Amino acid sequence: MDSRIETKCVQGGYTPANGEPRQIPIIQSTTFKYDTGEDMGKLFDLEASGYFYSRLQNPTCDRVAAKICALEGGSAAMLTSSGQAATFYAVFNIASCGDHVVASSAIYGGTYNLFAVTMKKMGVEFTFVDPDCSEEELENAFKPNTKAVFGETIANPALTVLDIEKFAKSAHAHGVPLIIDNTFATPINCRPFEFGADIVTHSTTKYMDGHGAAVGGCIVDSGKFDWMAHKDKFPGLCTPDESYHGITYADKFGNEGEFITKATAQLMRDFGSTPSPQSAFILNLGLESLHVRIKRHCENALAVAEFLSKNDKIEWVNYPGLEGNKYYDRAKKYMPDGTCGVVSFGVKGGREAAETFMKNLKICAIETHVADARTCCLHPASTTHRQMTDEQLAEAGVSPDLVRLSCGLENAQDLIDDISQALNKVL
Ligand SMILES: *Cc1c(COP(=O)(O)O)cnc(C)c1O
């Protein structure tokens, strides 16, 4: 029986047998015991499935990955130790030295750095495109060695909403997959596979954990991309892997399994960004209430955005769920039930006013974090981006007055009252 998404949040990924633990057991073991060397050899050759060493796979982590896979409607998934590791593996699994990737320019700062600095050093070249570029501009970004297209459903912190169908169409016309970071929307509000995306990544550190308790990431494969149809572009999947006795992932695991199997067998084996079973267990506690929490995050954010949009101390408000926002219609199409809990806005009076406002907040705390139960805010110009001049901030899309507020699960009126009293301190 295929259950609805709320039921999948609570029960997906793990069905205990008679007498087994109701909750996903924490298998805090690095290693697993076998009766014969031959049994274990089969695992090493990917001839049989099973566990042998928790750097590659662990039963607790796999059950939690299976839940996220079910939520996204994918065919296979893996957890990673962070969202950064998930992004890196998802791209590096198909693009290596000499390859090229097209990415939206409105992405998480850490992802931009990973692509533009670190992966560039590894020989992977990125072309960044405006997410609202024309189809023609998008077309011009492709090269013969392009291996993937990357974007975020709702960009952190720009809060732009990606036209997933436009990006998927363009990627597929060039025989490459679309990878979507779905961290901010979560599968509760958007399932990118339904709009043509092929691979989804998550920083589970954000809403999925939702309590600021465990850093983690996840990669989900839709199982729909036909790698073999573009054999020449993806030799890593479609030709024998000498480090696995000549296995060809595409032949052995098919469209549904090859991407995640290769990422586990090669990248997790060699880079080892392994999540701990304990962290996976904590993540699962968050997932059990994801559907309930996301609704509240969005309600609170909308109430706050509406309040701010009517306040005369506020210069501008950016929230894709707010009527009149540039992305309102697109958000309604891709996320009819809500967008996310993050709102950004400018306080009149610029940098100084923003600082005064923030230091007077009592419920909303100043943090370099988003998307957890407690409301938090950040003034990039005086913290994460403080070394930049106002001109450099403008290029990064961060105005000196920008405040990013991540609405938690508190009472909406309490949040509004807190924001209101702090704004009253601004002259
Ligand atoms: C936080 C974040 C990441 C990075 O995730 P970590 O878990 O911090 O490594 C990637 N993408 C988005 C959209 C994020 O918000």
Side-chain angles (χ1 to χ4, degrees):
M1 193 178 76
D2 194 28
S3 52
R4 293 171 181 80
I5 199 156
E6 295 82 357
T7 309
K8 286 178 181 155
C9 279
V10 183
Q11 297 206 11
Y14 172 59
T15 312
N18 195 33
E20 282 187 352
R22 186 70 176 108
Q23 181 55 284
I24 295 180
I26 303 171
I27 310 292
Q28 194 71 47
S29 182
T30 58
T31 189
F32 300 81
K33 179 237 162 202
Y34 287 92
D35 291 337
T36 70
E38 202 175 280
D39 287 346
M40 188 179 275
K42 285 187 186 143
L43 301 178
F44 269 94
D45 285 353
L46 302 178
E47 282 302 326
S49 68
Y51 298 95
F52 54 97
Y53 191 53
S54 285
R55 170 156 32 85
L56 280 96
Q57 278 186 291
N58 170 280
T60 308
C61 301
D62 278 0
R63 284 161 180 167
V64 180
K67 175 177 283 190
I68 298 173
C69 187
L71 293 175
E72 288 287 1
S75 68
M78 68 194 283
L79 296 188
T80 56
S81 57
S82 68
Q84 285 299 104
T87 308
F88 173 58
Y89 283 16
V91 176
F92 198 65
N93 206 30
I94 47 174
S96 49
C97 187
D99 289 336
H100 171 258
V101 175
V102 176
S104 161
S105 60
I107 48 175
Y108 176 65
T111 306
Y112 180 81
N113 212 64
L114 169 68
F115 290 172
V117 181
T118 300
M119 289 189 75
K120 188 178 172 213
K121 287 184 196 157
M122 302 171 95
V124 185
E125 191 202 350
F126 288 81
T127 297
F128 295 96
V129 295
D130 186 320
D132 295 321
C133 67
S134 67
E135 285 186 28
E136 200 185 346
E137 283 170 296
L138 188 52
E139 187 63 32
N140 290 337
F142 284 83
K143 299 184 178 193
N145 58 342
T146 302
K147 298 297 167 79
V149 178
F150 183 94
E152 291 179 13
T153 315
I154 306 173
N156 175 15
L159 302 177
T160 50
V161 175
L162 194 75
D163 189 347
I164 299 174
E165 284 180 343
K166 177 178 85 178
F167 275 71
K169 196 174 136 210
S170 187
H172 296 161
H174 290 270
V176 302
L178 174 63
I179 305 173
I180 292 287
D181 179 337
N182 197 31
T183 299
F184 264 32
T186 83
I188 302 303
N189 284 343
C190 182
R191 287 162 305 281
F193 295 156
E194 292 172 6
F195 301 101
D198 303 285
I199 309 288
V200 158
T201 60
H202 281 282
S203 165
T204 63
T205 317
K206 312 296 164 56
Y207 290 115
M208 285 190 169
D209 164 43
H211 297 78
V215 174
C218 186
I219 309 172
V220 189
D221 178 14
S222 67
K224 289 188 194 132
F225 193 81
D226 190 353
W227 306 96
M228 269 299 195
H230 308 283
K231 213 170 179 265
D232 299 346
K233 283 190 197 294
F234 304 107
L237 286 161
C238 304
T239 58
D241 176 2
E242 292 316 325
S243 74
Y244 264 108
H245 312 294
I247 280 175
T248 299
Y249 294 99
D251 287 338
K252 197 156 176 69
F253 300 100
N255 284 347
E256 290 76 28
E258 59 187 290
F259 188 87
I260 296 295
T261 306
K262 176 177 179 286
T264 304
Q266 285 182 344
L267 304 183
M268 201 56 104
R269 177 194 64 188
D270 296 349
F271 292 113
S273 310
T274 314
S276 84
Q278 186 74 44
S279 291
F281 179 84
I282 292 169
L283 166 58
N284 184 58
L285 292 181
L287 291 169
E288 288 182 3
S289 63
L290 183 66
H291 56 300
V292 183
R293 293 184 291 106
I294 284 295
K295 196 162 176 274
R296 183 60 169 268
H297 280 295
C298 293
E299 281 166 11
N300 282 0
L302 184 59
V304 164
E306 278 169 355
F307 165 80
L308 291 169
S309 68
K310 291 179 201 120
N311 190 292
D312 59 12
K313 294 238 162 92
I314 298 296
E315 189 79 50
W316 55 270
V317 182
N318 184 15
Y319 181 62
L322 186 68
E323 230 167 304
N325 182 275
K326 185 180 174 195
Y327 296 101
Y328 182 78
D329 292 332
R330 191 179 292 164
K332 277 279 171 260
K333 171 182 169 178
Y334 288 104
M335 293 164 273
D337 298 331
T339 53
C340 66
V342 181
V343 179
S344 65
F345 54 92
V347 183
K348 277 184 191 160
R351 188 189 291 258
E352 213 173 300
E355 284 178 31
T356 306
F357 163 70
M358 294 211 6
K359 104 180 147 207
N360 283 291
L361 288 167
K362 294 189 165 64
I363 293 176
C364 313
I366 299 172
E367 287 172 34
T368 335
H369 188 48
V370 286
D372 86 54
R374 288 153 292 256
T375 296
C376 59
C377 64
L378 185 74
H379 178 226
S382 67
T383 55
T384 50
H385 296 60
R386 69 178 292 132
Q387 74 284 4
M388 292 186 176
T389 63
D390 284 3
E391 292 83 67
Q392 287 172 322
L393 284 173
E395 277 171 31
V398 176
S399 53
D401 61 348
L402 184 148
V403 175
R404 181 184 71 183
L405 184 79
S406 170
C407 298
L409 300 174
E410 302 91 342
N411 177 283
Q413 193 57 49
D414 282 344
L415 298 181
I416 290 169
D417 291 348
D418 189 29
I419 293 165
S420 178
Q421 66 80 23
L423 282 174
N424 287 339
K425 304 271 167 41
V426 179
L427 298 176

